[in-house]
Amino acid sequence: MLKRARGTRIQWTTLILAVVAALMATIATPTSAQGSKSPGGTVTGELSRPAYSYADAIRESVWVDTGLDLDRNGRTDRVAADIVRPSEAARAGRKVPVIMDASPYYSCCGRGNESQKKTYDASGKPVQFPMHYDNYFVPRGYAAVLVDLAGTNRSDGCVDVGGRSDIISAKAVVQWLNGDATAYTSRTGGTKATADWTTGATGMIGKSYDGTVANGVAATGVKGLKTIVPIGAISSWYDYYFAKGAPYHSGGPDGLARAVESQEAAARCRVVKDELVKGAPRTGDWTKLWTERDYVPDAKNVKASVLAVHGGQDLNVRMKHLGQWWDALATAGVERKIWLSQAGHVDPFDLRREQWVDTAHRWFDHYLLGVDNGIEREPMATIEREPDRWTTDAVWPAAGTEATTLRPRSGATPGVGILGTEPATAGSTETFTDDPRLSEADWAAQVDVRTAAKAGFTTRPLAKDLRLSGSAKVTVTATPSTRTAHLSAVLVDVGPDTIRNYTGAGEGISTLSTRSCWGESRPGDSACFLDTGADTRRVNYTIFSRGWADLGNYADDHIGRPLTPGKPHTITLDLAASDHVVKAGHRLALIVAGTDRGLISAPNSQPKLTLDLARTSAELPLVGGAPALVQRSGGQAHSGPSAPLTSVPAPGLIDRLPTGSDHRTSGRRA
């Protein structure tokens, strides 16, 4: 009995001490936070938790001096940065890190699937911050900073479409947050604003133009930028408008500037737009303008980690941008991770919402709050294999990937050839005539039929799955009948499948009527967004990689010249990066043709082109290399056509805005 009573007293003493310790911890830690405090957030179980009031958050605007005077008004340009940050942290003197999205779209076009724009109250104080970054992360101990690029919304200056002004607009804000630049409390006043409330650690995120700016700022090596999350982002603006001299239908950068600039900038920035026109001739020749807007060579300067996201079927910002940026980052030794979907130009928030928010949350926690949650040690690649079915890989491109040369050769029927590892017989040829009325979908639908506008080559049905992972190249030797010619090369998975409907209005998603909430709401800024679902399509072939070129760039990737009719010319087409599995029973096809309707513009003639098959080849990133192809195809070539193929609609014009913007006119997203 005595022993039992003593044990009871010990248990009560332990319990009382535990309660006192808990109360002391609560007194020592302001707000309703639980767990240990880290700079800027409340972390419990290796995750920042909502501890601050979003409704009571501080909302303010500053104007950061860029040091430029692009609008030539005699005063340096200031860019507007709208800020929302936890008031409790400010009162406690606790500094917070920053999640930043720098965009030209906050007033012209909107952000996200619902095209949200910034809104302000009568005194000019920001009310709505588009997207969920503020709603979700501010309660967890972050500040959200949304920057109007120069020449847009409430910023001074001019839009220069990826040039110095765009990049310095955002870089200057990162520098101000880190104590290395000057900001003011108004657009024209002299009262300075300080960023003494932040740790100076900044992460940039954004889709399309916004993600492009994140790439460009990271390439400057600016201090304080700890990570970037570029989504469907451009890495070289030349490659947005041209493919080795072949023009896309996106117009020129001056058109994009007109689409996004403010009314004030439209009046004062005519000179800048004229410079964009002069610096970006529609000849497709490389100029100094493009050098300034090519971030790939400067990947060596990147100090920030990179979480890159792209749609494998993005026909707006094509996968080449991701492939060349990723490879350059790898060479520079940058810490990185990648998400690849089967959709088009779509934000992962609208593809796989719960998993994406969790990934971004843990990513920012690690790189901005310093939480050791292990995300950097997890698999590098998250890849969508089928609609809503995702897998992971330890590295990307996949381990065991080898650049493997496949060669086209003639088959039993002219125009319906064989693709394999054996070279073509010297002197063998295939001929086609450019028909700008046709698209890649038209070619693929008739890969087993002789047509005048393309040359197609296929393997035999595969015995096992064959995976391609990374970037491909196709080298073509062609003899034109005219002085100008454009070429297209596409890789096709020939066989039945269900894919995301990437040529549809939603580019692979459908917007539903229900909403889900991600973070906290307040009047004027809801955390609840329309849900989405996969928009799928049943097909008999899938085009999964593409490349284009002006044959006139045969001697120089950057400069075109007239062709000599009747003379062979050799050029290499860079195909978009991809990660695709050609399933057992399917065939892998290579199609070479002329103008790809809806994707590149036609030349000023309709040439007949004769391919020298012995001097034409494809270098493909096969997992397992050439042996994998031989094992999967049984070492034999395809010997005959399969059943007729159903057609996928041709993609529409890339420039949904008539002026060439990458924003959709439907206002859905950019």
Side-chain angles (χ1 to χ4, degrees):
M1 188 71 179
L2 178 64
K3 185 176 181 180
R4 181 178 179 184
R6 183 184 177 192
T8 303
R9 286 196 298 271
I10 291 173
Q11 292 170 6
W12 274 106
T13 301
T14 303
L15 179 60
I16 291 169
L17 288 173
V19 170
V20 170
L23 288 171
M24 291 299 291
T26 303
I27 293 170
T29 304
T31 79
S32 60
Q34 297 179 359
S36 60
K37 296 295 291 185
S38 66
T42 300
V43 178
T44 304
E46 299 181 347
L47 196 68
S48 62
R49 309 287 178 173
Y52 301 122
S53 168
Y54 180 71
D56 296 334
I58 297 168
R59 291 169 177 259
E60 59 188 341
S61 301
V62 301
W63 280 261
V64 181
D65 195 328
T66 66
L68 301 176
D69 182 16
L70 209 63
D71 54 15
R72 296 156 172 88
N73 65 356
R75 184 174 64 86
T76 52
D77 302 330
R78 297 180 183 180
V79 294
D82 294 319
I83 303 164
V84 56
R85 55 190 176 91
S87 59
E88 299 95 332
R91 288 195 297 270
R94 186 173 296 114
K95 296 184 178 183
V96 298
V98 169
I99 295 174
M100 174 175 148
D101 187 342
S103 177
Y105 292 136
Y106 288 128
S107 64
C108 73
C109 316
R111 306 309 296 129
N113 194 37
E114 298 175 53
S115 299
Q116 292 183 323
K117 299 178 182 180
K118 287 182 178 179
T119 63
Y120 305 88
D121 64 18
S123 65
K125 183 178 293 187
V127 175
Q128 177 170 270
F129 284 65
M131 305 288 286
H132 69 285
Y133 308 133
D134 55 317
N135 309 90
Y136 188 84
F137 285 104
V138 170
R140 288 166 169 78
Y142 293 83
V145 176
L146 304 190
V147 181
D148 298 325
L149 292 185
T152 71
N153 202 19
R154 301 199 298 173
S155 289
D156 298 335
C158 303
V159 179
D160 68 349
V161 188
R164 288 181 66 240
S165 180
D166 272 6
I167 302 308
I168 290 177
S169 291
K171 178 184 177 182
V173 178
V174 175
Q175 290 175 310
W176 173 70
L177 292 166
N178 203 39
D180 294 332
T182 303
Y184 299 89
T185 58
S186 66
R187 189 169 184 173
T188 58
T191 303
K192 293 183 179 180
T194 60
D196 54 1
W197 47 265
T198 176
T199 63
T202 299
M204 293 184 68
I205 190 170
K207 179 189 162 195
S208 200
Y209 202 138
D210 306 13
T212 301
V213 172
N215 283 344
V217 174
T220 69
V222 62
K223 186 175 70 172
L225 184 62
K226 301 300 183 181
T227 191
I228 62 171
V229 184
I231 301 167
I234 294 168
S235 58
S236 172
W237 281 90
Y238 176 88
D239 294 315
Y240 184 74
Y241 289 101
F242 298 97
K244 285 193 177 178
Y248 297 126
H249 289 287
S250 301
D254 58 302
L256 181 50
R258 289 188 177 89
V260 303
E261 67 186 355
S262 64
Q263 291 183 354
E264 297 92 334
R268 66 177 181 254
C269 296
R270 293 190 182 96
V271 173
V272 173
K273 290 191 285 288
D274 289 343
E275 291 171 350
L276 290 174
V277 173
K278 294 175 183 177
R282 293 303 287 169
T283 60
D285 287 348
W286 189 279
T287 64
K288 291 181 179 179
L289 181 143
W290 301 122
T291 299
E292 180 182 320
R293 291 159 175 78
D294 183 5
Y295 314 129
V296 177
D298 292 327
K300 61 183 182 292
N301 299 326
V302 175
K303 299 181 179 67
S305 62
V306 179
L307 172 54
V309 183
H310 221 100
Q313 296 288 9
D314 192 337
L315 299 180
N316 184 341
V317 181
R318 301 156 186 86
M319 276 284 289
K320 180 183 179 183
H321 292 278
L322 181 279
Q324 62 192 9
W325 183 238
W326 183 262
D327 291 344
L329 292 173
T331 300
V334 174
E335 195 164 11
R336 65 206 191 285
K337 192 179 289 291
I338 191 170
W339 270 45
L340 293 176
S341 78
Q342 288 192 346
H345 202 53
V346 179
D347 195 295
F349 185 74
D350 297 316
L351 288 169
R352 201 184 185 210
R353 189 164 293 181
E354 182 176 356
Q355 294 85 350
W356 171 247
V357 172
D358 177 68
T359 298
H361 183 181
R362 296 175 63 238
W363 185 264
F364 284 132
D365 273 3
H366 178 68
Y367 288 102
L368 298 183
L369 288 177
V371 179
D372 185 13
N373 55 25
I375 193 167
E376 80 283 9
R377 299 185 294 274
E378 293 176 1
M380 177 182 285
T382 300
I383 302 171
E384 188 177 29
R385 290 290 165 218
E386 298 172 355
D388 289 331
R389 187 177 75 83
W390 299 73
T391 63
T392 61
D393 278 271
V395 295
W396 195 83
T401 299
E402 295 181 12
T404 306
T405 300
L406 272 63
R407 303 179 186 279
R409 63 185 192 273
S410 298
T413 303
V416 182
I418 298 165
L419 183 65
T421 56
E422 298 178 15
T425 304
S428 60
T429 62
E430 291 288 354
T431 300
F432 62 87
T433 300
D434 188 359
D435 187 344
R437 298 171 301 175
L438 302 179
S439 72
E440 58 182 25
D442 298 309
W443 308 329
Q446 296 186 307
V447 68
D448 290 322
V449 179
R450 180 182 184 182
T451 60
K454 61 101 174 75
F457 310 90
T458 70
T459 66
R460 67 169 298 165
L462 302 179
K464 298 180 180 179
D465 291 355
L466 178 68
R467 180 178 176 186
L468 293 86
S469 180
S471 299
K473 297 180 182 292
V474 174
T475 298
V476 172
T477 297
T479 300
S481 63
T482 59
R483 294 173 65 83
T484 60
H486 291 167
L487 286 171
S488 301
V490 299
L491 296 177
V492 187
D493 176 344
V494 183
D497 212 341
T498 298
I499 65 172
R500 284 191 181 266
N501 185 22
Y502 63 89
T503 61
E507 300 186 55
I509 65 167
S510 296
T511 302
L512 309 178
S513 59
T514 58
R515 291 184 179 271
S516 57
C517 302
W518 302 89
E520 298 181 19
S521 300
R522 57 158 281 175
D525 197 330
S526 174
C528 304
F529 299 86
L530 289 171
D531 294 319
T532 61
D535 176 20
T536 63
R537 180 181 179 87
R538 188 68 181 169
V539 296
N540 277 347
Y541 63 85
T542 305
I543 301 163
F544 63 90
S545 186
R546 310 154 175 86
W548 309 273
D550 186 326
L551 187 56
N553 285 51
Y554 64 92
D556 188 330
D557 287 351
H558 292 165
I559 303 295
R561 62 200 69 197
L563 301 170
T564 302
K567 177 183 176 180
H569 302 75
T570 301
I571 193 168
T572 297
L573 287 72
D574 299 321
L575 271 62
S578 65
D579 198 296
H580 184 83
V581 175
V582 183
K583 296 177 182 178
H586 291 200
R587 292 174 290 142
L588 172 64
L590 166 67
I591 297 175
V592 180
T595 301
D596 191 344
R597 179 178 61 84
L599 291 175
I600 62 171
S601 298
N604 56 15
S605 63
Q606 286 186 261
K608 181 178 181 180
L609 293 126
T610 300
L611 300 182
D612 182 342
L613 298 185
R615 297 169 63 191
T616 296
S617 62
E619 185 179 287
L620 306 184
L622 302 186
V623 178
L629 177 66
V630 172
Q631 293 168 6
R632 285 155 175 75
S633 63
Q636 300 179 28
H638 172 54
S639 58
S642 62
L645 303 178
T646 59
S647 177
V648 170
L653 295 181
I654 297 306
D655 54 327
R656 305 297 185 180
L657 281 177
T659 49
S661 169
D662 68 346
H663 177 77
R664 305 294 175 176
T665 48
S666 63
R668 299 187 66 257
R669 58 187 174 277

